[in-house]
Amino acid sequence: MTSKEKSNKSRTRRNDADRVVIFDTTLRDGEQSPGASMTLGEKLQIAELLDQMGVDIIEAGFPIASNGDFEAVSEIAKIAKNAVIAGLARAGNKDIDRAGDAVKHARRPRIHTFISTSPVHMKYKLQMEPGAVLDAVSASVRHARGYTDDVEWSAEDATRTEHDFLCRCVEAAIKAGATTINIPDTVGYTVPDEYYDLIAMLIEKVPGAGDVVFSTHCHNDLGLAVANSLAGVRAGARQIECTINGLGERAGNAALEEVVMAMNVRSDAIPNWTGINAEMITRASKLVSGVTAFPVQYNKAIVGKNAFAHEAGIHQDGMLKNTQTYEIMTPESIGLKESSLVMGKHSGRHAFREKLSEMGYELGKNALEDAFVRFKDLADKKKHVYDEDIEALVDDEMASADDHIKVVALTVIAGTGGPQKATITLDVEGTHHTREASGDGPVDAIFNAIKSIVPHEARLPLYQVHAVTEGTDAQAEVSVRLEEAGKTVTGRGADTDTMVASARAYVSALNKLQVKREKTAPGSMLAS
Ligand code: KIV
Ligand code: ZN
């Protein structure tokens, strides 16, 4: 029997006791990665997709951290159709009250409260004695239970915690009413056998352990996050905390796509299963990568550009004879379709709308019309228009729909002669402004011209260009990250002209920055 046949067979014998719930923390732990901050609209877009793909619990944010985080958790709680919505809180009442308030509109709200339990964290981070930490565990869980019956408790830095103390803390959390107990490998330090033993020991020794769900939360500092999570599940954990593309603090978290596909592909070896619709993995990966401007490593498992590419002649030959020679899963199983040629410049509105709907986009009448006009324009300039082109164009259109500043026209003089010059016309809240500026290269000149119309002090930590498809007529997708007074935003722009895409991306970032500023101090964007 081939492994595929074996896995199909065992899939039909799925046991409820082996079901693992997927807790996605892309919007909380993922967003904590430096530079990965997202706007409310982007968070809602990601949350909607996670909900659709069968994520059981979405950790939507850390409500006490900022008003923006609170609003995101609260809005996601209102739109989620199936998933439990969790808000993170430290052990204090203020944090828990804020989290309770943020998740209150969810059909299924959860408060996730945590405190550090390792000697190094208690001594230096918390400056608390173990006895006081133990008291805080009971008090925080009890307080959280005042808001919801679904309370998760985490022992931060659990894998470097003394076992006896960890057992006492877990017991206290269960007695106070926690329903999920999370054992984080906060610093990505553990190894699979050790993590297996830790979870198995807790389940065996702690009174009441049989009545709660144990959870893994593994960071990837040693590249072991997925292996550790699966070891935790083998020991009896039934919740995995993970993120799309493995986004997260430092080296990131266990990647959702990897844990899910390990269980799907090796169901002959791993009896556990999830409720995730794996065919939505590619879309989720692209969305998260696009929104954060964190590129996915080419050879990343499951979602890397090369994960299904077969370059070596000997491999290609094998693949042509039988795809199972070098492919343990099909591209279709993660929703990766062959890049298909889209309609040409003679295609009509109806075909365009059908195509968008097939790709999972539902646009309103005006947005559809604007996207169609841009598609026609693109089809005029570019010989072949692919799915990826449409994706880039529509994402760009959706992201800029409510923008107050828009690029109207751009002329650039570039080349060896220098100085490079740019003349730009921006529409700022309905009025056109034109400025010319020079710079150290055409991109610098464009950004200087924009800055003279919309002055600001934001730093530019990232300017990134990527070609959407192959060929010299490919669309460029540009990401620009701006940072101002602790606020970070990432703007995107797409066009066959890299300079136009750069201007759009910069303007998009400025629009997002303005939205963030408006929440604290409303005012004009224009140069006085
Ligand atoms: O890594 C960690 O310990 C965390 C906790 C807050 C769960 O993210
Ligand atoms: Zn974490």
Side-chain angles (χ1 to χ4, degrees):
M1 204 187 293
T2 65
S3 71
K4 205 169 185 179
E5 283 163 344
K6 269 193 220 158
S7 64
N8 284 341
K9 196 159 176 252
S10 59
R11 212 169 280 149
T12 58
R13 283 192 269 109
R14 275 174 170 172
N15 189 331
D16 282 353
D18 296 327
R19 166 81 151 88
V20 171
V21 298
I22 293 293
F23 176 115
D24 181 280
T25 183
T26 306
L27 299 175
R28 198 279 297 168
D29 210 315
E31 209 217 5
Q32 278 173 223
S33 342
S37 89
M38 307 167 205
T39 63
L40 174 63
E42 290 163 344
K43 286 183 185 177
L44 286 167
Q45 213 184 335
I46 292 175
E48 215 171 347
L49 191 62
L50 295 175
D51 197 20
Q52 272 173 31
M53 79 190 276
V55 163
D56 300 281
I57 302 115
I58 298 173
E59 185 163 57
F62 192 2
I64 194 91
S66 69
N67 289 342
D69 252 54
F70 178 89
E71 192 184 5
V73 177
S74 176
E75 292 305 309
I76 291 169
K78 287 178 199 159
I79 62 149
K81 294 200 169 81
N82 305 304
V84 169
I85 301 302
L88 185 69
R90 286 167 301 190
N93 285 359
K94 256 184 162 176
D95 273 48
I96 294 167
D97 293 341
R98 198 81 176 127
D101 211 16
V103 297
K104 73 178 176 210
H105 296 296
R107 279 180 55 241
R108 299 162 68 200
R110 172 180 292 192
I111 294 178
H112 175 194
T113 180
F114 72 100
I115 192 165
S116 293
T117 52
S118 68
V120 64
H121 273 223
M122 288 191 292
K123 183 167 178 191
Y124 296 104
K125 179 183 151 177
L126 298 178
Q127 298 179 329
M128 279 169 83
E129 291 300 323
V133 168
L134 197 54
D135 289 345
V137 173
S138 306
S140 57
V141 172
R142 223 176 289 119
H143 192 66
R145 280 295 302 246
Y147 287 94
T148 168
D149 291 346
D150 187 346
V151 173
E152 172 171 338
W153 177 77
S154 284
E156 191 181 4
D157 206 15
T159 53
R160 294 192 300 169
T161 297
E162 286 167 0
H163 285 190
D164 278 355
F165 184 61
L166 186 59
C167 286
R168 287 167 63 207
C169 288
V170 171
E171 185 179 350
I174 296 173
K175 275 203 178 122
T179 44
T180 299
I181 299 291
N182 184 34
I183 306 299
D185 183 27
T186 303
V187 290
Y189 177 71
T190 198
V191 293
D193 284 355
E194 184 182 76
Y195 196 57
Y196 173 94
D197 288 344
L198 180 63
I199 303 270
M201 180 276 292
L202 290 167
I203 292 177
E204 192 198 320
K205 282 201 177 155
V206 176
D211 303 327
V212 297
V213 174
F214 275 80
S215 166
T216 68
H217 178 109
C218 297
H219 279 269
N220 204 29
D221 300 64
L222 294 174
L224 292 170
V226 169
N228 288 335
S229 305
L230 294 175
V233 165
R234 201 157 49 82
R238 286 295 176 267
Q239 172 176 294
I240 294 182
E241 302 199 354
C242 48
T243 57
I244 301 290
N245 297 338
L247 200 67
E249 291 262 26
R250 304 181 311 282
N253 289 68
L256 178 147
E257 61 276 10
E258 293 179 27
V259 292
V260 167
M261 290 314 285
M263 288 185 231
N264 282 5
V265 174
R266 293 309 310 273
S267 56
D268 57 322
I270 306 172
N272 307 95
W273 54 284
T274 71
I276 298 292
N277 173 2
E279 287 177 12
M280 292 181 76
I281 282 177
T282 299
R283 239 176 94 194
S285 168
K286 282 189 179 173
L287 178 63
V288 170
S289 169
V291 158
T292 55
F294 274 42
V296 175
Q297 183 187 328
Y298 274 21
N299 58 336
K300 159 95 177 57
I302 318 294
V303 290
K305 192 173 190 283
N306 288 356
F308 293 91
H310 303 277
E311 186 74 29
I314 187 168
H315 286 202
Q316 285 178 346
D317 183 53
M319 283 292 291
L320 286 172
K321 288 174 178 145
N322 184 334
T323 53
Q324 283 190 21
T325 47
Y326 286 102
E327 216 167 64
I328 59 165
M329 59 193 135
T330 63
E332 294 78 29
S333 66
I334 57 146
L336 181 65
K337 296 189 190 86
E338 276 219 352
S339 176
S340 67
L341 206 57
V342 170
M343 319 83 41
K345 60 179 169 184
H346 300 298
S347 312
R349 270 182 191 73
H350 183 68
F352 183 67
R353 192 174 49 229
E354 291 280 295
K355 182 76 203 171
L356 290 186
S357 150
E358 188 191 299
M359 291 169 76
Y361 290 106
E362 295 302 334
L363 300 190
K365 209 168 159 230
N366 291 346
L368 182 72
E369 187 54 32
D370 290 347
F372 182 67
V373 170
R374 278 186 67 179
F375 158 70
K376 284 296 217 186
D377 191 34
L378 183 67
D380 258 343
K381 288 187 201 152
K382 201 169 176 281
K383 216 155 118 204
H384 303 297
V385 180
Y386 296 94
D387 283 0
E388 291 91 330
D389 286 311
I390 300 284
E391 238 166 49
L393 183 155
V394 175
D395 285 346
D396 191 42
E397 198 54 46
M398 279 165 73
S400 60
D402 302 321
D403 283 356
H404 292 263
I405 320 170
K406 289 190 163 82
V407 177
V408 177
L410 175 69
T411 314
V412 178
I413 301 172
T416 49
Q420 289 77 17
K421 279 191 185 145
T423 307
I424 196 156
T425 302
L426 298 183
D427 178 325
V428 183
E429 288 166 341
T431 311
H432 285 194
H433 302 263
T434 302
R435 294 279 164 89
E436 185 191 281
S438 56
D440 196 2
V443 175
D444 194 40
I446 294 168
F447 289 5
N448 286 340
I450 294 173
K451 208 169 168 182
S452 72
I453 301 175
V454 188
H456 58 86
E457 294 302 320
R459 229 170 51 78
L460 191 147
L462 177 96
Y463 168 77
Q464 186 174 279
V465 186
H466 115 262
V468 172
T469 55
E470 290 173 3
T472 48
D473 66 348
Q475 281 193 94
E477 194 166 45
V478 176
S479 304
V480 166
R481 187 168 296 147
L482 293 178
E483 213 175 85
E484 185 190 75
K487 298 182 190 79
T488 306
V489 290
T490 305
R492 274 189 297 162
D495 200 278
T496 46
D497 184 321
T498 311
M499 296 304 113
V500 174
S502 301
R504 285 212 175 112
Y506 195 79
V507 163
S508 150
L510 282 174
N511 278 296
K512 288 180 178 176
L513 201 58
Q514 183 58 20
V515 171
K516 285 212 172 185
R517 281 193 209 127
E518 288 277 314
K519 290 194 172 149
T520 38
S524 169
M525 298 176 271
L526 285 172
S528 48

